[in-house]
Amino acid sequence: MFPVLRAGWLAYVNPNRPLTPRCGVVIQMRLDQPDAVPLCYIKEYLRRTATKLVVSQYSPLEDLEFQLDRIIAAHRIVGLAEM
């Protein structure tokens, strides 16, 4: 989560704001099990391809790719200036 959010901070999202490179994003992922609770990630958005959402994380420092067909929702994290 760091440096997008620090431990204990609330994540405010705006589903109407578009994702732009380097913005914080909350991603809700579908699991394979039918009754499983979805997973959520807070990452830094990089880009979207035809089949993947590409994000960055800091610990360990690496880029990750999530399949779009597994994503339930991806919303921009906003600060007070963007609310």
Side-chain angles (χ1 to χ4, degrees), residues 36-76:
V37 175
L39 293 176
C40 286
Y41 299 95
I42 294 178
K43 302 294 181 191
E44 184 176 280
Y45 174 80
L46 297 177
R47 65 187 168 279
R48 179 182 171 155
T49 70
T51 59
K52 298 175 184 171
L53 191 72
V54 183
V55 298
S56 180
Q57 70 177 23
Y58 290 91
S59 183
L61 184 59
E62 67 179 309
D63 293 348
L64 304 171
E65 296 179 344
F66 295 110
Q67 295 296 322
L68 290 178
D69 61 356
R70 309 257 329 224
I71 295 176
I72 297 168
H75 297 303
R76 183 183 181 126

Side-chain angles (χ1 to χ4, degrees), residues 15-33:
N16 299 314
R17 294 287 313 256
L19 298 177
T20 57
R22 300 291 176 195
C23 75
V25 62
V26 175
I27 303 164
Q28 187 178 17
M29 299 285 298
R30 177 179 299 109
L31 296 177
D32 289 334
Q33 299 85 5

